[in-house]
Amino acid sequence: MDIPTDVWGQLALEASQVYLTEGGMRSPFANTTIEKLPDKVLLNIFCYLTHREICRMATVCKRWRMVAYDTRLWTHVSLRPEISGLHVGSLESLLALISIRFGPSLRYIELPIELITHTVLHELAAKCPNLTHMLLDFSTAMQLHDFSEMQAFPTKLRYLCICLSEVIFMEGFMRKIYNFINGLEILHLIGTYEKVEEEEEEIYEVINVHKLKSATPNLRVINLYGINFVDDSHIDAFSSNCIQLECLAVNYCNKVTGSTMKTLFQRSRRLTCLLMNGCSLQSDYVMQVEWEKSSIQELDVTATDLSTECLIDMLSRIPNLRFLSAGQINGFNDTVLKAWLEAGTTRSLLALDVDSSDNLSDDALHRFLSRVGAQLSGLVLSGMPHITDQLWQSVLQLLTNAKILIMGTQERLGVNIHVDQLMDGIANSCPNLERLELRWDPENLRFSDKSQKAIDVLRVKCLKLKSLVLSDGRYYEIVKANFERADRTTVVRTSTNCRVSNYYLLSNYKDLIFN
């Protein structure tokens, strides 16, 4: 039996040792073993395991099996093997799990296409009355089950995520659930953006957004991610019915031009967050929006073609902007930063991302950060070869409230980055830092034999640090070993496995997460 040593190994070792008191007397815990732990302690330990590991623990003995199948360990369940490692072999097995192991404790479930049947959905509706979050993954579907007999569906759902298929029309299924989902507050429709090939193929509107919006009047958060058929008319449809709308994300929906943005803000007075990364926004449409009357606080226009004139007009008129992502835009230049400062609308700014903005100069960024640096919680100045450690060293002392910093570029530079001094500066200037990413090529990082001291200072002074991301290389190994010796094993990560983003600072971040 392969038991995870990181969870049980040390506990079993300590529990089986003979303990001596300071006077050399035998400790009363000398013969204590893991078998003598109360069930409630075992249950608490099992809470830290994945469901796949819990299933393995259930094979150890009858007692552990009883604890492993406690419904309190099965409140949030993913049955997608690629996500959780759990594979349910048959519908009969799943139906048994719903009745015996999930029941009223179940709050969240993810189902792959082969397990989405009317029988399963009936059981969830009948046996799991407290189910509020559901993900239905149709992304690999080539054919749907027959839902003609479906008469029931969970009625207390607050969050619904549907991963769409490229070719399967969903309307037959959706018609059956419209009457059950009017309490939804958060809706995710996930497209197939990452699967799109360069060759143009026929685009199918596999879900009827215009009908869906009528069934979901209480939506607060709408995320339409990478859907190749979504356009401005769909945004207009949601805004016409969802008066509670606070957050709209249409990242990588490249048919969205912004033609209905003016109407969107006129109708959705509560809209505070708009994310449009990778959309085909047209400057004329964006400039028609009455930004000064809007409640917008968080805006992402990354990788759009907005002009300098449009950016100046927009940023000068948004009165309470807290979060801006505007990287990969040729029009974002020194003139924009200067005009933004002069307009006086930067007073609320907490997060700024200008990744790969090659038209921003060191001097302009330094002047801008000299004015607003002290109020920033997140700053991204990555992807720009001309922004090196020199600029960062000059502004770090201003970034005293920073929680997220992202710096560096993957391009090989002609200059070296003196990472010891940089780490020391970060440690002494940013005590609240939670996430840090250095994207520089390992070959550009220069460090000395005294690197351990700088890393020690960072680790000791930045106690809130959750994630430190570096490109794989010698310096990464040194930093990782340093943190592991201090039992902070989950902090240091490689850029191949993790990327840091200002999105953690979004007010609706937790509601926007999807797999």
Side-chain angles (χ1 to χ4, degrees):
M1 179 64 213
D2 183 14
I3 300 175
T5 55
D6 58 337
V7 178
W8 297 108
Q10 188 63 29
L11 179 60
L13 177 63
E14 293 177 358
S16 61
Q17 287 178 336
V18 175
Y19 290 90
L20 298 179
T21 64
E22 290 183 1
M25 300 295 292
R26 185 180 177 86
S27 167
F29 301 105
N31 293 322
T32 301
T33 62
I34 199 167
E35 286 80 10
K36 294 185 180 181
L37 287 175
D39 286 353
K40 63 181 181 181
V41 175
L42 276 178
L43 182 66
N44 191 47
I45 294 172
F46 277 29
C47 286
Y48 292 91
L49 303 177
T50 67
H51 284 136
R52 186 178 183 183
E53 290 169 334
I54 290 173
C55 290
R56 290 158 65 189
M57 296 303 101
T59 65
V60 172
C61 61
K62 289 182 179 179
R63 179 172 173 239
W64 283 25
R65 182 181 180 85
M66 180 187 70
V67 174
Y69 289 168
D70 190 301
T71 58
R72 286 170 291 184
L73 293 174
W74 298 86
T75 59
H76 294 68
V77 179
S78 172
L79 298 178
R80 295 192 292 165
E82 70 276 15
I83 301 297
S84 64
L86 291 182
H87 178 72
V88 177
S90 66
L91 290 175
E92 291 73 19
S93 299
L94 176 56
L95 296 175
L97 287 173
I98 293 171
S99 298
I100 300 169
R101 198 177 308 176
F102 300 164
S105 296
L106 188 66
R107 301 287 191 279
Y108 176 104
I109 192 167
E110 296 180 4
L111 296 174
I113 175 62
E114 62 270 17
L115 299 180
I116 306 173
T117 70
H118 75 273
T119 307
V120 169
L121 296 172
H122 281 183
E123 270 308 272
L124 287 172
K127 303 290 177 60
C128 305
N130 297 309
L131 182 63
T132 58
H133 290 62
M134 176 181 283
L135 183 149
L136 303 176
D137 188 355
F138 294 97
S139 61
T140 59
M142 298 305 292
Q143 183 177 349
L144 292 186
H145 291 282
D146 181 10
F147 293 99
S148 59
E149 297 182 13
M150 190 167 78
Q151 303 297 326
F153 191 79
T155 57
K156 291 187 178 180
L157 289 183
R158 187 176 71 87
Y159 169 109
L160 178 62
C161 179
I162 300 178
C163 301
L164 303 176
S165 166
E166 285 185 289
V167 294
I168 300 299
F169 293 92
M170 302 284 298
E171 195 52 34
F173 169 76
M174 297 302 295
R175 275 199 303 268
K176 292 292 183 176
I177 71 171
Y178 284 147
N179 291 334
F180 302 98
I181 60 174
N182 60 4
L184 277 184
E185 295 180 20
I186 303 161
L187 174 66
H188 291 259
L189 297 180
I190 310 304
T192 53
Y193 166 78
E194 295 179 355
K195 298 180 182 179
V196 173
E197 298 179 358
E198 292 185 3
E199 297 180 7
E200 291 189 8
E201 298 180 0
E202 187 175 356
I203 297 175
Y204 300 103
E205 191 163 339
V206 298
I207 193 167
N208 192 323
V209 172
H210 295 276
K211 289 184 179 179
L212 176 60
K213 61 96 177 181
S214 300
T216 53
N218 296 306
L219 289 177
R220 290 187 303 103
V221 178
I222 300 174
N223 179 25
L224 310 177
Y225 181 90
I227 305 177
N228 54 10
F229 64 80
V230 162
D231 58 26
D232 299 278
S233 69
H234 300 103
I235 294 176
D236 187 63
F238 275 120
S239 69
S240 69
N241 195 55
C242 304
I243 61 173
Q244 310 292 335
L245 190 60
E246 298 173 7
C247 175
L248 174 64
V250 288
N251 291 341
Y252 306 109
C253 294
N254 56 23
K255 284 194 172 184
V256 172
T257 66
S259 63
T260 59
M261 279 179 66
K262 181 177 180 179
T263 306
L264 168 69
F265 282 105
Q266 289 174 340
R267 291 170 174 169
S268 306
R269 294 297 182 181
R270 298 186 182 184
L271 187 66
T272 58
C273 178
L274 180 61
L275 309 178
M276 311 185 83
N277 187 339
C279 292
S280 301
L281 295 181
Q282 294 185 22
S283 296
D284 290 345
Y285 293 141
V286 175
M287 292 172 70
Q288 291 173 12
V289 175
E290 296 175 314
W291 293 107
E292 61 278 358
K293 296 181 181 179
S294 73
S295 300
I296 198 72
Q297 296 179 11
E298 301 166 342
L299 181 65
D300 187 350
V301 289
T302 300
T304 57
D305 291 326
L306 296 181
S307 67
T308 298
E309 180 188 9
C310 175
L311 290 166
I312 292 174
D313 175 77
M314 178 178 68
L315 295 177
S316 299
R317 291 195 290 130
I318 302 177
N320 298 303
L321 192 63
R322 296 174 60 253
F323 178 107
L324 176 67
S325 285
Q328 304 173 49
I329 301 178
N330 289 331
F332 204 110
N333 53 30
D334 294 358
T335 307
V336 175
L337 286 186
K338 181 181 178 182
W340 193 10
L341 280 176
E342 291 174 348
T345 51
T346 59
R347 57 184 175 273
S348 301
L349 189 66
L350 297 179
L352 177 64
D353 181 347
V354 286
D355 174 71
S356 302
S357 297
D358 293 330
N359 293 325
L360 289 175
S361 69
D362 294 48
D363 290 341
L365 283 168
H366 191 278
R367 285 194 297 271
F368 186 83
L369 294 174
S370 296
R371 292 274 296 274
V372 305
Q375 66 197 52
L376 293 181
S377 294
L379 178 61
V380 182
L381 300 181
S382 56
M384 294 179 276
H386 62 289
I387 304 299
T388 65
D389 53 328
Q390 291 185 354
L391 175 65
W392 280 101
Q393 289 284 23
S394 67
V395 300
L396 278 174
Q397 60 199 17
L398 305 170
L399 304 175
T400 53
N401 290 308
K403 295 181 180 179
I404 299 173
L405 294 177
I406 306 172
M407 55 189 73
T409 177
Q410 293 177 320
E411 277 185 60
R412 187 73 64 85
L413 303 179
V415 297
N416 293 325
I417 305 300
H418 299 281
V419 72
D420 288 350
Q421 294 93 316
L422 185 59
M423 287 293 197
D424 191 67
I426 293 171
N428 288 300
S429 302
C430 311
N432 298 315
L433 195 65
E434 295 179 8
R435 302 176 190 275
L436 171 65
E437 181 171 357
L438 275 62
R439 294 182 180 173
W440 283 295
D441 187 288
E443 294 299 319
N444 286 123
L445 299 182
R446 289 296 174 266
F447 49 93
S448 67
D449 295 336
K450 298 181 180 179
S451 285
Q452 293 290 356
K453 183 177 179 181
I455 301 167
D456 285 340
V457 173
L458 179 74
R459 177 172 46 76
V460 171
K461 291 197 173 185
C462 298
L463 294 175
K464 297 180 182 179
L465 192 62
K466 301 174 183 176
S467 177
L468 171 52
V469 180
L470 300 162
S471 295
D472 201 355
R474 186 171 165 230
Y475 188 70
Y476 162 77
E477 297 296 340
I478 293 172
V479 177
K480 183 175 177 63
N482 184 293
F483 274 77
E484 287 181 343
R485 284 195 296 272
D487 290 329
R488 295 177 67 181
T489 57
T490 62
V491 173
V492 184
R493 309 166 188 185
T494 66
S495 55
T496 54
N497 296 322
C498 181
R499 273 297 174 94
V500 173
S501 166
N502 271 350
Y503 267 31
Y504 299 108
L505 298 171
L506 290 173
S507 55
N508 294 101
Y509 171 69
K510 291 184 178 179
D511 293 334
L512 286 167
I513 296 174
F514 67 91
N515 280 323

